[in-house]
Amino acid sequence: MDTQDKPVRTLRQDIDAALSGILDPEYGLPITDLGLVLRVEINGPAVDVALTLTTPACPAGGVILDGVRAAVEAVPGVGSANVFLEWDPPWTPERLSAAARRHLGWESAD
Amino acid sequence: MSAAVPARGAPSPAVAASVSGLSLSWFGWALVFLIGAGLWLLLDPGMLLADHAAPLTVAWVHACILGFLASVTFGAAYQLLPVAVGEPLWSLRLPWLHQALHILGVPYLVYALARGAYDQAAFAGAVLLSGFLLFSLNCLATFNRAKTKDVVGIAFALSAVWLVLTAFAGILAAANRQSAFLPIPVLAWLRLHAHIGMAGFFITMIQGAAFRLLPMFTLGDVRDWGRVALGLSLSQGGLVGLAFCWVENLEAGRVAFSLLLAAGIVVSAREALAVIKSRRRRLLDEGLQSFIAGGVCLLLALVFGLLLHSTELLDGLAAGRSTLLYGVLLIGGALLPMVCGMLFKIVPFLVWMRAYAPLIGRARVPLAAELSSPRLEQAWLECHLGALVLLALGLARPEPFWLPMAAAILLASQLLLALVLGRAALHLRRRPQL
């Protein structure tokens, strides 16, 4: 297990990179671009990740959560990852990133 | 080290894998029955030129509906119902018993109907009904446990009830052929059986499932749940009234309730179109295109069916052939593309869940969409619709050329369908190692 010497900013970047490597199986977009990652909190070697899903009964929901946990815990400097769902506020398409909107062919209203 | 909390209503990865295996098994058997029916038609295309109530015609239609459409619908329902109501399936074991009864019952029923052995047909129907009861029990128990009972869950529950009633009506029709005891004409009873099956089971389920699946696949929104509920309510009212009028032989009422049923389906179609129009995912993939094509054919079938009901086309051989045309449009033109369109979405996803889901976050995995074959799916739709046009021509103009050609192209489309789904299923054997 790595020490806690790694700067938090670098660790956060590594965690973000790990999260962006997880693609939603249906849309083919990183969960970060889909706006599913609500919050990442680093407390020493422990990391809390709050996620949402595009729909409360997403059939791949359990799989995505399990994958996020595995990906975050594989980041050097992370001891354990606590991944949980938050439903309030519910996900809306407005959480899609600009890149996601372009990928989906959805022209932004801007 | 902490465990991930499963998404609310979504199964754990292990349960998801188990249900996906169940659904894939149903789809595999559906393909077997479909290709079997296709080969049968190729060997004897002329059987469709007989009256629509002739033994071989009835047997072949049941092979298609129960063997393929129903098998696919059961496989999809066991996967979709937990998603729809946000609650895991009440039982994971009963569906396997249901499948065993279905696999035994369908060939037996088809054989008995083809031979005109209606006592055996009634017994085979009872075998199938046993499986339907297990399905309905599972659906209703799962629905009962749901914290929120919305129109989608209600549609599933209603379709499960109609399924059981359809089977009862079929068993009674078969038993009645042995010793006539039903107080209404046989053809009227058969029409009742056909309509509560088609509209009560298949279309009711589509009227619910579509409003979970379309938003999920298109990133669209259901704009007016009230209208979704209205569409379902109108069609259910129409179906109940239609059934009553057939039993009581009330012709005027039959037309009125047919219109009510049609109105409900039109309202549902309108709301489905609104979801599609609201989508943030611009590209409509081949699965959705097939679903939409089926929806358009459903509306055409409604018009055709209303014409049959309201005109005096119910006697003679022309009427029998018109009824077959109606069946081709409804079953082949509407239900089959709608069901296959969803198969093109569901099967790659289920294969992905079994093959790659455990690796997510640990290894590079393909997308579920990469397990699809868009060109083959497009080819299937074109081939299938082409075959239906030829089939319709062959029924309208009974010359020796059209029906055999239609049967050959239909079988080709079925083999294409098997290829599409088989290519996705190959990924089950290609799992990368950690």
Side-chain angles (χ1 to χ4, degrees):
Chain A
M1 184 183 296
D2 289 331
T3 67
Q4 303 174 29
D5 293 342
K6 200 169 195 179
V8 172
R9 190 167 67 89
T10 306
L11 184 60
R12 177 57 196 264
Q13 287 170 338
D14 290 346
I15 292 170
D16 287 344
L19 291 173
S20 64
I22 296 177
L23 306 183
D24 182 281
E26 171 62 26
Y27 309 121
L29 287 165
I31 59 171
T32 45
D33 279 336
L34 274 176
L36 302 188
V37 181
L38 298 177
R39 204 165 56 252
V40 176
E41 292 173 357
I42 302 171
N43 303 303
V47 178
D48 289 340
V49 182
L51 294 182
T52 187
L53 297 169
T54 57
T55 166
C58 173
V63 163
I64 290 175
L65 265 72
D66 191 58
V68 166
R69 177 185 59 81
V72 171
E73 287 182 351
V75 172
V78 173
S80 65
N82 178 32
V83 184
F84 50 92
L85 287 169
E86 286 186 359
W87 300 107
D88 188 22
W91 182 89
T92 63
E94 278 67 33
R95 292 188 60 85
L96 292 168
S97 69
R101 295 178 192 208
R102 281 193 300 273
H103 177 85
L104 293 169
W106 178 32
E107 293 299 323
S108 171
D110 295 332
Chain B
M1 191 159 309
S2 59
V5 177
R8 184 175 68 200
S12 67
V15 171
S18 172
V19 177
S20 64
L22 167 71
S23 298
L24 289 171
S25 175
W26 275 103
F27 300 152
W29 279 107
L31 277 177
V32 169
F33 287 128
L34 181 70
I35 293 171
L39 281 169
W40 184 8
L41 185 64
L42 186 67
L43 291 172
D44 186 11
M47 68 176 159
L48 296 185
L49 292 177
D51 185 76
H52 70 289
L56 284 181
T57 310
V58 170
W60 186 77
V61 169
H62 278 78
C64 295
I65 293 174
L66 288 174
F68 179 70
L69 280 177
S71 297
V72 170
T73 304
F74 292 138
Y78 283 126
Q79 180 70 30
L80 291 173
L81 178 60
V83 173
V85 303
E87 194 68 35
L89 270 180
W90 180 69
S91 168
L92 288 174
R93 289 186 184 173
L94 289 184
W96 291 105
L97 180 56
H98 169 201
Q99 186 179 85
L101 291 165
H102 196 75
I103 292 166
L104 288 172
V106 169
Y108 186 20
L109 177 68
V110 169
Y111 169 80
L113 288 172
R115 294 285 305 267
Y118 294 105
D119 54 341
Q120 293 186 51
F123 182 75
V127 171
L128 286 168
L129 174 61
S130 305
F132 296 169
L133 286 168
L134 295 177
F135 171 78
S136 298
L137 174 65
N138 217 345
C139 283
L140 294 171
T142 304
F143 173 69
N144 186 52
R145 295 202 310 193
K147 296 177 181 58
T148 306
K149 292 176 173 53
D150 63 4
V151 65
V152 175
I154 291 170
F156 271 91
L158 286 170
S159 70
V161 172
W162 283 115
L163 176 69
V164 170
L165 293 175
T166 301
F168 267 123
I171 292 169
L172 288 176
N176 188 62
R177 295 293 286 260
Q178 289 294 112
S179 52
F181 59 88
L182 289 174
I184 65 171
V186 169
L187 275 184
W189 192 260
L190 289 178
R191 288 188 185 110
L192 168 72
H193 168 62
H195 279 80
I196 64 175
M198 294 294 105
F201 176 58
F202 290 108
I203 294 178
T204 299
M205 190 174 292
I206 290 171
Q207 281 180 290
F211 296 101
R212 275 287 182 271
L213 294 177
L214 287 177
M216 195 183 298
F217 290 141
T218 65
L219 281 176
D221 303 310
V222 176
R223 296 299 169 96
D224 190 338
W225 280 105
R227 279 216 193 103
V228 176
L230 175 65
L232 184 65
S233 302
L234 289 175
S235 62
Q236 295 304 294
L239 200 51
V240 170
L242 195 58
F244 178 78
C245 289
W246 256 317
V247 171
E248 296 294 326
N249 199 24
L250 301 172
E251 191 170 325
R254 208 166 59 214
V255 174
F257 284 110
S258 295
L259 285 169
L260 192 63
L261 170 62
I265 292 171
V266 168
V267 169
S268 293
R270 189 166 174 270
E271 286 315 298
L273 184 61
V275 171
I276 292 168
K277 281 185 174 176
S278 76
R279 71 191 189 278
R280 278 83 174 184
R281 201 178 187 185
R282 282 292 151 224
L283 183 67
L284 285 173
D285 56 32
E286 282 69 20
L288 289 169
Q289 288 176 30
S290 181
F291 183 83
I292 292 168
V296 170
C297 283
L298 178 60
L299 297 176
L300 292 174
L302 281 181
V303 172
F304 194 68
L306 286 170
L307 280 173
L308 281 184
H309 277 302
S310 60
T311 63
E312 293 302 319
L313 292 176
L314 299 179
D315 293 311
L317 189 58
R321 212 159 282 150
S322 297
T323 304
L324 269 177
L325 271 171
Y326 173 45
V328 166
L329 194 52
L330 179 61
I331 299 166
L335 292 180
L336 217 143
M338 293 180 92
V339 162
C340 288
M342 289 297 104
L343 264 186
F344 293 154
K345 304 291 294 181
I346 293 171
V347 168
F349 179 77
L350 292 181
V351 170
W352 183 91
M353 285 290 280
R354 281 185 77 79
Y356 297 113
L359 301 172
I360 194 169
R362 298 169 176 86
R364 192 169 176 79
V365 298
L367 301 173
E370 291 175 39
L371 277 58
S372 298
S373 308
R375 287 186 187 175
L376 288 177
E377 290 167 7
Q378 184 68 26
W380 170 82
L381 182 61
E382 291 169 1
C383 196
H384 176 75
L385 292 178
L388 288 187
V389 168
L390 291 175
L391 197 58
L393 269 172
L395 290 173
R397 302 168 59 90
E399 293 159 3
F401 174 76
W402 299 114
L403 281 180
M405 175 72 82
I409 296 177
L410 201 59
L411 181 62
S413 75
Q414 290 157 2
L415 293 173
L416 267 175
L417 180 65
L419 184 60
V420 168
L421 302 181
R423 283 189 65 181
L426 278 178
H427 283 262
L428 291 171
R429 309 184 77 163
R430 288 184 192 165
R431 280 176 254 190
Q433 300 300 315
L434 280 173

